Amino acid sequence: MNERPFVFINSAMSADGKISTIERIQVRISDDIDFDRVDDLRAGSDAIIVGIGTVLSDDPSLTVKSDKRQKDRIKRGEDENPIRVVVDSRARTPINSDILKKGKGERILFVSEAAPEEDIKSLSSHAEVLVTGKDEVDLKEMLQKLGRRGVKRVMVEGGATLNWALLAGKLVDELYVYMGYFIMGGNDAPTLVDGEGYKVREEMPELELIDIQKMQRGMVLKWRIR
Ligand code: NAP
């Protein structure tokens, strides 16, 4: 079965396309209105996915922040937070990470066959651990597994490597980018999409601009992947 959920990436970058500094630590890029927009996107999603790189550097909880949105989800018969998913080949998610500690709701860690058995075992009491892929997580199969559990709408919150792998695998439908009002610079600072990169113009996914929204100090660009 090839059915997969609708997948969108949401990210915030500096005016020069960086999503973090050369130290790869979390920096507040967007403004207050944008925080609210992101919260709304989370509340409207069935699952939120991040890469292990983001968990290790930013320790995000990925919870829905607004009480009203949490209550609306509960009224709809959902958990107050979407399923939080980590793409983590080697089961490196720290047991005390906010994603495992904060807020109610399901957590799923997708690991690969390369993950040490003892780490899978100790994480299993904090989250559901599912194995897919040999050395790294098979992203297509991960999305299919989520789809089979009723997940229809997936929000991807980075980082740069996971964004690349999903785009390169043609597994993304839309891309939303908050473009901020400062310059970060740095050869080694992560950008919206890192990974191997495309060499040939014909291979590069083309985007169709569906919306531009002016925010307090930056703007949000919404793209559809053709
Ligand atoms: P990442 O994209 O969060 O995670 C990448 C890791 O996922 C890989 O290194 C790999 O580690 C694991 N993985 C497992 N299976 C994979 C697969 N099939 N394809 C690709 N990756 C797979 O890490 P990152 O690129 O280092 O990005 C983190 C940076 O992004 C941080 O600096 C963070 O602050 C920033 N960030 C910014 C935003 C923003 O919106 N501004 C949002 C999120 C993150 P294993 O092999 O160990 O599993």
Side-chain angles (χ1 to χ4, degrees), residues 38-56:
V38 173
D39 200 51
D40 198 45
L41 283 175
R42 279 190 190 154
S45 299
D46 301 311
I48 301 177
I49 301 183
V50 284
I52 180 64
T54 298
V55 171
L56 295 176

Side-chain angles (χ1 to χ4, degrees), residues 88 91 107-112 115 119-132:
D88 179 11
R107 283 94 166 162
I108 304 178
L109 308 179
F110 279 93
V111 304
S112 73
D119 294 335
I120 295 184
K121 210 168 163 194
S122 64
L123 282 166
S124 296
S125 47
H126 303 268
E128 187 171 353
V129 182
L130 298 177
V131 182
T132 169

Side-chain angles (χ1 to χ4, degrees), residues 11-12 19 24 53-54 57-58 89-90 92 137 157 159 161-162 165:
S11 189
I19 62 167
R24 300 182 98 80
T54 298
S57 60
D58 298 355
S89 310
R90 287 168 282 155
R92 290 188 293 150
V137 175
E157 294 210 45
T161 308
L162 181 63

